[in-house]
Amino acid sequence: MRKIFLAGPYGHADREVVDRRFNEANAVAARIARSGSTVFSQISMSHPINGHLPDLDKAAIGKLWAPIDQVFMEAMDEIVVIDGPGWQESAGVKREMEFFQSRGRRVSLWSDVEHEFA
């Protein structure tokens, strides 16, 4: 069974973009889970919790989640990155990809591997 850390861009000044990214992460995670793989979607977990942290700005949110992400990244064998608009500019995605690359673990873009989760 594949153990996948699902990553993608999240933060944005426009709340609708953030909500759209959350929904896309959920849809991709559902598809991966339905295929029989284990998936951890950090966006799916953190988005509802972030709503209860109104006193934190984007930088503080990232600082809060980085060590939590680390625990889940260590448990997963590979990362799949949702490569929609903004993914290349995301500092979080970059950090997560570098983590997996530095350990010789598989790094994939969703657009390249989505056919594997039919």
Side-chain angles (χ1 to χ4, degrees):
M1 174 187 320
R2 292 169 74 174
K3 296 191 300 184
I4 298 167
F5 184 93
L6 181 63
Y10 174 69
H12 196 277
D14 184 340
R15 184 70 183 170
E16 288 183 19
V17 172
V18 173
D19 288 341
R20 187 168 45 252
R21 289 174 173 176
F22 168 67
N23 288 324
E24 181 177 20
N26 291 338
V28 172
R31 187 161 162 192
I32 292 171
R34 181 170 256 180
S35 78
S37 294
T38 297
V39 62
F40 174 74
S41 172
Q42 197 277 344
I43 293 171
S44 300
M45 184 178 98
S46 65
H47 181 76
I49 296 169
N50 290 344
H52 295 276
L53 302 168
D55 57 313
L56 299 182
D57 64 11
K58 183 178 174 182
I61 291 282
K63 187 174 181 177
L64 172 74
W65 286 110
I68 297 168
D69 290 351
Q70 182 83 20
V71 171
F72 288 98
M73 289 189 297
E74 289 174 2
M76 298 300 166
D77 297 328
E78 63 182 286
I79 185 172
V80 172
V81 176
I82 300 170
D83 51 335
W87 79 272
Q88 292 176 310
E89 293 81 31
S90 171
V93 169
K94 180 180 180 184
R95 176 181 46 81
E96 293 158 352
M97 290 176 75
E98 287 172 352
F99 175 91
F100 283 87
Q101 289 167 336
S102 72
R103 286 156 177 77
R105 297 182 190 171
R106 184 175 175 184
V107 175
S108 305
L109 299 178
W110 177 244
S111 63
D112 293 333
V113 298
E114 64 179 308
H115 69 277
E116 298 174 17
F117 303 97

